[in-house]
Amino acid sequence: GAVVSQHPSRVICKSGTSVKIECRSLDFQATTMFWYRQFPKKSLMLMATSNEGSKATYEQGVEKDKFLINHASLTLSTLTVTSAHPEDSSFYICSAWGTKQGEAEKLFFGSGTQLSVL
Amino acid sequence: RKEVEQDPGPFNVPEGATVAFNCTYSNSASQSFFWYRQDCRKEPKLLMSVYSSGNEDGRFTAQLNRASQYISLLIRDSKLSDSATYLCVVNQAGTALIFGKGTTLSVSS
């Protein structure tokens, strides 16, 4: 059934480096994927909507040049945190609408990526 | 005003207790409503959808009041395994889910 695979699950990097997070839809095509960020004890905040074959739509306050989103195929969206800084340390999670056989469409989540920038 | 507001808690209850969470949303155009459960640093998992007529799934009962833009979740006979953060979630068709901050529940023996 519909599953969203997200990698890596955990990243520790030095300040100034770039980090790429991959989100793959398994067994279904995802024309739209959503990227969220969650700081400790805070809610999941929508960062951007990733659209296959077109530019991502970013939420207010999210820097598109810092958080690069690429959705080149129907099964893969990537989020690249460029020149990461300690304040970018957070839990990043992707999601996509999909269906399991016999069930209504629902939003499936990747397992998340914990980014720690030193 | 935040789109989805919840009492963050924490709610600390003994096993067997009944506990209720409340949530309000600001966008009257919201069409779908859910309760998700999230364990620490894990992805959120759908607990149940919420319907206007109210719905029940075992020990969990969800209610929706569209006029008041209010959603509730009732957990009966709390178990230790119910300890988690409960997220109130709304959305319009086909769009991203909008999450509340979450209410933390801690069930103790």
Side-chain angles (χ1 to χ4, degrees):
Chain A
V3 173
V4 175
S5 175
Q6 183 173 344
H7 294 280
S9 59
R10 187 173 182 87
V11 178
I12 301 173
C13 69
K14 292 182 179 180
S15 184
T17 60
S18 294
V19 176
K20 180 185 282 189
I21 303 170
E22 291 189 352
C23 183
R24 292 180 186 275
S25 60
L26 307 180
D27 299 329
F28 71 102
Q29 294 180 333
T31 55
T32 302
M33 288 189 177
F34 306 101
W35 286 96
Y36 291 86
R37 176 171 57 184
Q38 185 176 34
F39 292 107
K41 298 186 179 181
K42 300 290 184 183
S43 63
L44 285 125
M45 296 300 298
L46 180 65
M47 298 176 66
T49 301
S50 170
N51 304 297
E52 186 270 334
S54 65
K55 292 182 179 180
T57 304
Y58 289 81
E59 295 301 302
Q60 189 174 11
V62 178
E63 299 175 59
K64 61 180 181 181
D65 294 330
K66 180 167 184 64
F67 298 99
L68 300 178
I69 290 175
N70 185 284
H71 195 155
S73 79
L74 287 171
T75 58
L76 174 64
S77 176
T78 61
L79 169 66
T80 301
V81 183
T82 62
S83 187
H85 290 281
E87 57 266 30
D88 298 324
S89 298
S90 184
F91 185 66
Y92 294 86
I93 191 165
C94 64
S95 65
W97 287 98
T99 55
K100 283 188 175 181
Q101 190 173 9
E103 297 182 7
E105 186 179 46
K106 66 178 183 179
L107 200 64
F108 291 92
F109 286 86
S111 53
T113 298
Q114 183 63 49
L115 172 63
S116 299
V117 185
L118 305 177
Chain B
R1 181 184 174 187
K2 294 180 181 177
E3 287 201 56
V4 181
E5 296 204 53
Q6 293 180 248
D7 179 348
F11 284 64
N12 299 304
V13 303
E15 274 187 291
T18 296
V19 61
F21 304 141
N22 303 318
C23 167
T24 57
Y25 60 95
S26 60
N27 188 344
S28 59
S30 299
Q31 297 176 331
S32 302
F33 310 89
F34 311 91
W35 283 100
Y36 274 73
R37 169 192 170 131
Q38 186 178 28
D39 294 287
C40 187
R41 296 191 179 186
K42 300 286 186 182
E43 74 274 22
K45 294 187 185 298
L46 178 64
L47 181 64
M48 59 196 304
S49 300
V50 188
Y51 304 112
S52 297
S53 55
N55 49 299
E56 187 174 306
D57 182 2
R59 298 182 293 109
F60 300 86
T61 301
Q63 297 273 354
L64 166 65
N65 184 322
R66 286 185 183 268
S68 302
Q69 296 181 198
Y70 171 91
I71 306 163
S72 66
L73 176 68
L74 183 75
I75 303 175
R76 292 182 298 278
D77 189 22
S78 299
K79 311 291 185 189
L80 293 175
S81 57
D82 293 335
S83 297
T85 298
Y86 290 82
L87 306 169
C88 177
V89 184
V90 303
N91 88 315
Q92 297 178 39
T95 64
L97 300 182
I98 305 300
F99 288 82
K101 189 176 179 178
T103 300
T104 300
L105 171 66
S106 179
V107 182
S108 57
S109 57

PDB file of all heavy atoms in Angstrom, chain A residues 5-28:
ATOM      1  N   SER A   5       8.673   7.075   1.658  1.00  0.00           N
ATOM      2  CA  SER A   5       9.992   6.778   2.187  1.00  0.00           C
ATOM      3  C   SER A   5      10.831   8.046   2.235  1.00  0.00           C
ATOM      4  O   SER A   5      10.967   8.746   1.235  1.00  0.00           O
ATOM      5  CB  SER A   5      10.677   5.732   1.295  1.00  0.00           C
ATOM      6  OG  SER A   5      11.998   5.502   1.726  1.00  0.00           O
ATOM      7  N   GLN A   6      11.387   8.343   3.387  1.00  0.00           N
ATOM      8  CA  GLN A   6      12.175   9.565   3.558  1.00  0.00           C
ATOM      9  C   GLN A   6      13.560   9.205   4.078  1.00  0.00           C
ATOM     10  O   GLN A   6      13.703   8.430   5.028  1.00  0.00           O
ATOM     11  CB  GLN A   6      11.479  10.508   4.546  1.00  0.00           C
ATOM     12  CG  GLN A   6      12.193  11.842   4.727  1.00  0.00           C
ATOM     13  CD  GLN A   6      11.401  12.818   5.584  1.00  0.00           C
ATOM     14  OE1 GLN A   6      10.205  12.643   5.812  1.00  0.00           O
ATOM     15  NE2 GLN A   6      12.058  13.856   6.067  1.00  0.00           N
ATOM     16  N   HIS A   7      14.584   9.815   3.447  1.00  0.00           N
ATOM     17  CA  HIS A   7      15.972   9.563   3.844  1.00  0.00           C
ATOM     18  C   HIS A   7      16.793  10.839   3.767  1.00  0.00           C
ATOM     19  O   HIS A   7      16.521  11.685   2.906  1.00  0.00           O
ATOM     20  CB  HIS A   7      16.616   8.527   2.907  1.00  0.00           C
ATOM     21  CG  HIS A   7      16.007   7.185   3.014  1.00  0.00           C
ATOM     22  ND1 HIS A   7      16.308   6.302   4.016  1.00  0.00           N
ATOM     23  CD2 HIS A   7      15.075   6.580   2.250  1.00  0.00           C
ATOM     24  CE1 HIS A   7      15.609   5.210   3.851  1.00  0.00           C
ATOM     25  NE2 HIS A   7      14.846   5.347   2.792  1.00  0.00           N
ATOM     26  N   PRO A   8      17.782  11.023   4.617  1.00  0.00           N
ATOM     27  CA  PRO A   8      18.132  10.148   5.738  1.00  0.00           C
ATOM     28  C   PRO A   8      17.214  10.404   6.931  1.00  0.00           C
ATOM     29  O   PRO A   8      16.462  11.367   6.952  1.00  0.00           O
ATOM     30  CB  PRO A   8      19.566  10.579   6.050  1.00  0.00           C
ATOM     31  CG  PRO A   8      19.588  12.031   5.698  1.00  0.00           C
ATOM     32  CD  PRO A   8      18.670  12.182   4.512  1.00  0.00           C
ATOM     33  N   SER A   9      17.285   9.563   7.915  1.00  0.00           N
ATOM     34  CA  SER A   9      16.460   9.752   9.102  1.00  0.00           C
ATOM     35  C   SER A   9      17.125  10.720  10.082  1.00  0.00           C
ATOM     36  O   SER A   9      16.447  11.360  10.888  1.00  0.00           O
ATOM     37  CB  SER A   9      16.201   8.418   9.799  1.00  0.00           C
ATOM     38  OG  SER A   9      17.437   7.816  10.162  1.00  0.00           O
ATOM     39  N   ARG A  10      18.446  10.793   9.986  1.00  0.00           N
ATOM     40  CA  ARG A  10      19.153  11.695  10.899  1.00  0.00           C
ATOM     41  C   ARG A  10      20.406  12.214  10.218  1.00  0.00           C
ATOM     42  O   ARG A  10      21.125  11.457   9.554  1.00  0.00           O
ATOM     43  CB  ARG A  10      19.527  10.956  12.186  1.00  0.00           C
ATOM     44  CG  ARG A  10      20.113  11.859  13.255  1.00  0.00           C
ATOM     45  CD  ARG A  10      20.304  11.116  14.563  1.00  0.00           C
ATOM     46  NE  ARG A  10      20.833  11.997  15.592  1.00  0.00           N
ATOM     47  CZ  ARG A  10      20.090  12.759  16.374  1.00  0.00           C
ATOM     48  NH1 ARG A  10      18.782  12.730  16.264  1.00  0.00           N
ATOM     49  NH2 ARG A  10      20.647  13.538  17.284  1.00  0.00           N
ATOM     50  N   VAL A  11      20.646  13.497  10.362  1.00  0.00           N
ATOM     51  CA  VAL A  11      21.832  14.120   9.773  1.00  0.00           C
ATOM     52  C   VAL A  11      22.461  15.054  10.796  1.00  0.00           C
ATOM     53  O   VAL A  11      21.758  15.866  11.404  1.00  0.00           O
ATOM     54  CB  VAL A  11      21.488  14.933   8.508  1.00  0.00           C
ATOM     55  CG1 VAL A  11      22.734  15.603   7.953  1.00  0.00           C
ATOM     56  CG2 VAL A  11      20.849  14.066   7.452  1.00  0.00           C
ATOM     57  N   ILE A  12      23.755  14.921  10.935  1.00  0.00           N
ATOM     58  CA  ILE A  12      24.532  15.868  11.742  1.00  0.00           C
ATOM     59  C   ILE A  12      25.562  16.484  10.809  1.00  0.00           C
ATOM     60  O   ILE A  12      26.329  15.757  10.164  1.00  0.00           O
ATOM     61  CB  ILE A  12      25.221  15.177  12.927  1.00  0.00           C
ATOM     62  CG1 ILE A  12      24.180  14.508  13.828  1.00  0.00           C
ATOM     63  CG2 ILE A  12      26.033  16.191  13.736  1.00  0.00           C
ATOM     64  CD1 ILE A  12      24.778  13.645  14.932  1.00  0.00           C
ATOM     65  N   CYS A  13      25.569  17.801  10.712  1.00  0.00           N
ATOM     66  CA  CYS A  13      26.487  18.435   9.773  1.00  0.00           C
ATOM     67  C   CYS A  13      27.082  19.701  10.371  1.00  0.00           C
ATOM     68  O   CYS A  13      26.587  20.237  11.367  1.00  0.00           O
ATOM     69  CB  CYS A  13      25.773  18.755   8.462  1.00  0.00           C
ATOM     70  SG  CYS A  13      24.544  20.053   8.613  1.00  0.00           S
ATOM     71  N   LYS A  14      28.124  20.166   9.731  1.00  0.00           N
ATOM     72  CA  LYS A  14      28.776  21.392  10.174  1.00  0.00           C
ATOM     73  C   LYS A  14      28.053  22.601   9.585  1.00  0.00           C
ATOM     74  O   LYS A  14      27.465  22.535   8.501  1.00  0.00           O
ATOM     75  CB  LYS A  14      30.240  21.415   9.724  1.00  0.00           C
ATOM     76  CG  LYS A  14      31.115  20.371  10.407  1.00  0.00           C
ATOM     77  CD  LYS A  14      32.543  20.495   9.931  1.00  0.00           C
ATOM     78  CE  LYS A  14      33.439  19.479  10.630  1.00  0.00           C
ATOM     79  NZ  LYS A  14      34.851  19.582  10.168  1.00  0.00           N
ATOM     80  N   SER A  15      28.139  23.690  10.280  1.00  0.00           N
ATOM     81  CA  SER A  15      27.536  24.926   9.810  1.00  0.00           C
ATOM     82  C   SER A  15      28.132  25.317   8.462  1.00  0.00           C
ATOM     83  O   SER A  15      29.342  25.218   8.247  1.00  0.00           O
ATOM     84  CB  SER A  15      27.790  26.030  10.839  1.00  0.00           C
ATOM     85  OG  SER A  15      27.138  27.212  10.470  1.00  0.00           O
ATOM     86  N   GLY A  16      27.298  25.711   7.534  1.00  0.00           N
ATOM     87  CA  GLY A  16      27.750  26.125   6.217  1.00  0.00           C
ATOM     88  C   GLY A  16      27.622  25.072   5.138  1.00  0.00           C
ATOM     89  O   GLY A  16      27.725  25.381   3.947  1.00  0.00           O
ATOM     90  N   THR A  17      27.392  23.847   5.534  1.00  0.00           N
ATOM     91  CA  THR A  17      27.240  22.777   4.547  1.00  0.00           C
ATOM     92  C   THR A  17      25.788  22.690   4.103  1.00  0.00           C
ATOM     93  O   THR A  17      24.890  23.250   4.730  1.00  0.00           O
ATOM     94  CB  THR A  17      27.685  21.425   5.105  1.00  0.00           C
ATOM     95  OG1 THR A  17      26.884  21.110   6.257  1.00  0.00           O
ATOM     96  CG2 THR A  17      29.143  21.462   5.515  1.00  0.00           C
ATOM     97  N   SER A  18      25.585  21.977   2.999  1.00  0.00           N
ATOM     98  CA  SER A  18      24.228  21.774   2.477  1.00  0.00           C
ATOM     99  C   SER A  18      23.802  20.336   2.717  1.00  0.00           C
ATOM    100  O   SER A  18      24.615  19.421   2.653  1.00  0.00           O
ATOM    101  CB  SER A  18      24.183  22.101   0.984  1.00  0.00           C
ATOM    102  OG  SER A  18      24.414  23.478   0.792  1.00  0.00           O
ATOM    103  N   VAL A  19      22.546  20.168   2.978  1.00  0.00           N
ATOM    104  CA  VAL A  19      22.000  18.845   3.291  1.00  0.00           C
ATOM    105  C   VAL A  19      20.804  18.573   2.393  1.00  0.00           C
ATOM    106  O   VAL A  19      19.908  19.410   2.281  1.00  0.00           O
ATOM    107  CB  VAL A  19      21.551  18.774   4.764  1.00  0.00           C
ATOM    108  CG1 VAL A  19      20.893  17.439   5.057  1.00  0.00           C
ATOM    109  CG2 VAL A  19      22.741  19.012   5.691  1.00  0.00           C
ATOM    110  N   LYS A  20      20.792  17.394   1.769  1.00  0.00           N
ATOM    111  CA  LYS A  20      19.675  17.024   0.909  1.00  0.00           C
ATOM    112  C   LYS A  20      18.855  15.932   1.577  1.00  0.00           C
ATOM    113  O   LYS A  20      19.392  14.926   2.038  1.00  0.00           O
ATOM    114  CB  LYS A  20      20.166  16.519  -0.453  1.00  0.00           C
ATOM    115  CG  LYS A  20      19.014  16.111  -1.387  1.00  0.00           C
ATOM    116  CD  LYS A  20      19.511  15.499  -2.674  1.00  0.00           C
ATOM    117  CE  LYS A  20      19.991  16.545  -3.642  1.00  0.00           C
ATOM    118  NZ  LYS A  20      20.271  15.971  -4.990  1.00  0.00           N
ATOM    119  N   ILE A  21      17.559  16.132   1.578  1.00  0.00           N
ATOM    120  CA  ILE A  21      16.623  15.152   2.136  1.00  0.00           C
ATOM    121  C   ILE A  21      15.735  14.656   1.003  1.00  0.00           C
ATOM    122  O   ILE A  21      15.190  15.457   0.240  1.00  0.00           O
ATOM    123  CB  ILE A  21      15.753  15.783   3.238  1.00  0.00           C
ATOM    124  CG1 ILE A  21      16.642  16.364   4.347  1.00  0.00           C
ATOM    125  CG2 ILE A  21      14.780  14.756   3.807  1.00  0.00           C
ATOM    126  CD1 ILE A  21      15.876  17.219   5.351  1.00  0.00           C
ATOM    127  N   GLU A  22      15.601  13.337   0.899  1.00  0.00           N
ATOM    128  CA  GLU A  22      14.800  12.761  -0.170  1.00  0.00           C
ATOM    129  C   GLU A  22      13.490  12.201   0.360  1.00  0.00           C
ATOM    130  O   GLU A  22      13.437  11.627   1.442  1.00  0.00           O
ATOM    131  CB  GLU A  22      15.564  11.626  -0.852  1.00  0.00           C
ATOM    132  CG  GLU A  22      16.752  12.068  -1.664  1.00  0.00           C
ATOM    133  CD  GLU A  22      17.331  10.924  -2.482  1.00  0.00           C
ATOM    134  OE1 GLU A  22      16.908   9.776  -2.289  1.00  0.00           O
ATOM    135  OE2 GLU A  22      18.211  11.203  -3.324  1.00  0.00           O
ATOM    136  N   CYS A  23      12.481  12.345  -0.449  1.00  0.00           N
ATOM    137  CA  CYS A  23      11.162  11.822  -0.103  1.00  0.00           C
ATOM    138  C   CYS A  23      10.618  11.094  -1.330  1.00  0.00           C
ATOM    139  O   CYS A  23      10.452  11.701  -2.386  1.00  0.00           O
ATOM    140  CB  CYS A  23      10.258  12.979   0.297  1.00  0.00           C
ATOM    141  SG  CYS A  23       8.620  12.487   0.830  1.00  0.00           S
ATOM    142  N   ARG A  24      10.366   9.799  -1.189  1.00  0.00           N
ATOM    143  CA  ARG A  24       9.896   9.004  -2.307  1.00  0.00           C
ATOM    144  C   ARG A  24       8.523   8.412  -2.006  1.00  0.00           C
ATOM    145  O   ARG A  24       8.290   7.897  -0.914  1.00  0.00           O
ATOM    146  CB  ARG A  24      10.846   7.843  -2.586  1.00  0.00           C
ATOM    147  CG  ARG A  24      12.193   8.251  -3.114  1.00  0.00           C
ATOM    148  CD  ARG A  24      13.094   7.040  -3.379  1.00  0.00           C
ATOM    149  NE  ARG A  24      14.431   7.475  -3.763  1.00  0.00           N
ATOM    150  CZ  ARG A  24      14.783   7.789  -5.001  1.00  0.00           C
ATOM    151  NH1 ARG A  24      13.887   7.699  -5.965  1.00  0.00           N
ATOM    152  NH2 ARG A  24      16.015   8.180  -5.257  1.00  0.00           N
ATOM    153  N   SER A  25       7.655   8.471  -2.978  1.00  0.00           N
ATOM    154  CA  SER A  25       6.364   7.801  -2.847  1.00  0.00           C
ATOM    155  C   SER A  25       6.520   6.396  -3.440  1.00  0.00           C
ATOM    156  O   SER A  25       6.995   6.241  -4.560  1.00  0.00           O
ATOM    157  CB  SER A  25       5.272   8.584  -3.570  1.00  0.00           C
ATOM    158  OG  SER A  25       5.555   8.706  -4.943  1.00  0.00           O
ATOM    159  N   LEU A  26       6.173   5.413  -2.663  1.00  0.00           N
ATOM    160  CA  LEU A  26       6.274   4.020  -3.090  1.00  0.00           C
ATOM    161  C   LEU A  26       4.894   3.532  -3.476  1.00  0.00           C
ATOM    162  O   LEU A  26       3.930   3.768  -2.764  1.00  0.00           O
ATOM    163  CB  LEU A  26       6.845   3.158  -1.961  1.00  0.00           C
ATOM    164  CG  LEU A  26       8.169   3.634  -1.349  1.00  0.00           C
ATOM    165  CD1 LEU A  26       8.617   2.690  -0.253  1.00  0.00           C
ATOM    166  CD2 LEU A  26       9.240   3.780  -2.409  1.00  0.00           C
ATOM    167  N   ASP A  27       4.775   2.842  -4.584  1.00  0.00           N
ATOM    168  CA  ASP A  27       3.506   2.256  -5.025  1.00  0.00           C
ATOM    169  C   ASP A  27       2.463   3.256  -5.460  1.00  0.00           C
ATOM    170  O   ASP A  27       1.321   2.873  -5.729  1.00  0.00           O
ATOM    171  CB  ASP A  27       2.887   1.366  -3.941  1.00  0.00           C
ATOM    172  CG  ASP A  27       3.786   0.202  -3.564  1.00  0.00           C
ATOM    173  OD1 ASP A  27       4.519  -0.263  -4.462  1.00  0.00           O
ATOM    174  OD2 ASP A  27       3.769  -0.209  -2.399  1.00  0.00           O
ATOM    175  N   PHE A  28       2.797   4.544  -5.488  1.00  0.00           N
ATOM    176  CA  PHE A  28       1.830   5.503  -6.012  1.00  0.00           C
ATOM    177  C   PHE A  28       2.565   6.726  -6.522  1.00  0.00           C
ATOM    178  O   PHE A  28       3.710   6.988  -6.145  1.00  0.00           O
ATOM    179  CB  PHE A  28       0.792   5.899  -4.959  1.00  0.00           C
ATOM    180  CG  PHE A  28       1.313   6.776  -3.842  1.00  0.00           C
ATOM    181  CD1 PHE A  28       1.065   8.141  -3.841  1.00  0.00           C
ATOM    182  CD2 PHE A  28       2.037   6.234  -2.790  1.00  0.00           C
ATOM    183  CE1 PHE A  28       1.531   8.948  -2.804  1.00  0.00           C
ATOM    184  CE2 PHE A  28       2.509   7.033  -1.763  1.00  0.00           C
ATOM    185  CZ  PHE A  28       2.250   8.392  -1.771  1.00  0.00           C
TER     186      PHE A  28
END
